Amino acid sequence: AQKVTQAQTEISVVEKEDVTLDCVYETRDTTYYLFWYKQPPSGELVFLIRRNSFDEQNEISGRYSWNFQKSTSSFNFTITASQVVDSAVYFCALSEGPNTGNQFYFGTGTSLTVIP
Amino acid sequence: EPEVTQTPSHQVTQMGQEVILRCVPISNHLYFYWYRQILGQKVEFLVSFYNNEISEKSEIFDDQFSVERPDGSNFTLKIRSTKLEDSAMYFCASSDRQTNEKLFFGSGTQLSVL
């Protein structure tokens, strides 16, 4: 079974629209960490956010916001007023812990295209 | 912001050849990792490394793979006898703490095995 599922393979939106990227995870650990990474066309993986399993507060950072719901095992990512520069592949990842190897389990990614 | 640096950005090799992928982690980090991403697929864990030894490795990381920290700054991944299915983007990452800490990734080395 997949530990992290990103059901949306590709999403296209028109600039200034809001868009939500879904992430569902599966773990038996009570302590775990969730991450979002952005992979722009240049290929690198850029860290966006890290949340631990004990902190269910939603977080907002500029146009980005994250909705963590343990009841549904989801950690969704919303971009408000999308811009062309947001076009990238976005990966959700899970780290179970305490984790001696700090192994991340990545989802398959959602490719977001923002159309000008 | 400090960066993880990977060289080369692209590597083309013949099947059966040995390749070494190089990484310079962030200077004060102590934990190092290799991940790979086959085209269009998810990023997969290969190995983690701390204090000059492997901490954890996945089933992908078989005997043809090895890692080394030959000096105080470099971290290398060697593939002894490359196969076609080794073609992928290889990412190096580092972190300053061990447990579930965010990883800083390099920009990757695209390996193509012909």
Side-chain angles (χ1 to χ4, degrees):
Chain A
Q2 296 291 325
K3 286 186 178 285
V4 177
T5 301
Q6 294 180 256
Q8 304 151 308
T9 307
E10 296 181 1
I11 299 177
S12 291
V13 298
V14 176
E15 200 171 20
K16 297 183 183 173
E17 286 184 348
D18 299 347
V19 58
T20 295
L21 310 182
D22 298 333
C23 174
V24 174
Y25 62 92
E26 181 180 331
T27 180
R28 293 183 179 181
D29 286 5
T30 54
T31 301
Y32 54 90
Y33 295 77
L34 296 162
F35 301 79
W36 277 94
Y37 279 82
K38 174 182 179 179
Q39 187 177 40
S42 49
E44 72 272 25
L45 289 164
V46 179
F47 168 82
L48 296 177
I49 190 170
R50 168 184 180 265
R51 299 305 299 275
N52 72 56
S53 51
F54 301 108
D55 182 3
E56 284 193 76
Q57 270 196 328
N58 291 330
E59 182 157 340
I60 298 175
S61 176
R63 296 184 297 107
Y64 295 170
S65 62
W66 290 269
N67 183 355
F68 177 29
Q69 294 202 350
K70 287 178 78 169
S71 61
T72 56
S73 297
S74 64
F75 186 45
N76 296 338
F77 172 33
T78 297
I79 302 174
T80 303
S82 58
Q83 300 176 0
V84 173
V85 294
D86 296 327
S87 296
V89 180
Y90 291 85
F91 290 96
C92 180
L94 166 73
S95 176
E96 296 170 314
N99 183 335
T100 58
N102 208 17
Q103 178 176 166
F104 279 29
Y105 298 95
F106 282 84
T108 50
T110 297
S111 178
L112 173 66
T113 301
V114 181
I115 303 165
Chain B
E1 187 169 280
E3 289 183 343
V4 174
T5 306
Q6 289 186 244
T7 55
S9 56
H10 292 87
Q11 174 96 45
V12 180
T13 189
Q14 295 290 326
M15 190 171 57
Q17 294 295 306
E18 175 183 286
V19 294
I20 297 177
L21 309 183
R22 303 181 190 280
C23 170
V24 179
I26 294 172
S27 61
N28 63 337
H29 285 185
L30 300 175
Y31 303 90
F32 314 115
Y33 313 86
W34 283 100
Y35 283 75
R36 80 170 186 191
Q37 183 184 28
I38 295 173
L39 183 64
Q41 299 185 24
K42 64 182 175 183
V43 179
E44 299 175 294
F45 171 78
L46 292 179
V47 65
S48 58
F49 189 88
Y50 168 71
N51 199 25
N52 281 320
E53 59 182 31
I54 291 173
S55 308
E56 191 171 340
K57 60 182 181 179
S58 71
E59 59 187 25
I60 302 170
F61 194 88
D62 61 23
D63 290 345
Q64 70 162 342
F65 290 91
S66 62
V67 289
E68 191 179 29
R69 188 151 163 84
D71 54 42
S73 60
N74 290 285
F75 179 52
T76 62
L77 173 69
K78 181 193 289 187
I79 308 175
R80 231 177 308 280
S81 177
T82 49
K83 304 174 198 164
L84 296 177
E85 54 264 37
D86 293 328
S87 296
M89 178 75 89
Y90 287 81
F91 289 102
C92 173
S94 68
S95 66
D96 59 356
R97 277 174 283 171
Q98 180 182 41
T99 307
N100 313 107
E101 193 55 42
K102 74 179 182 183
L103 302 182
F104 291 82
F105 285 88
S107 53
T109 293
Q110 180 64 55
L111 176 65
S112 297
V113 182
L114 306 179

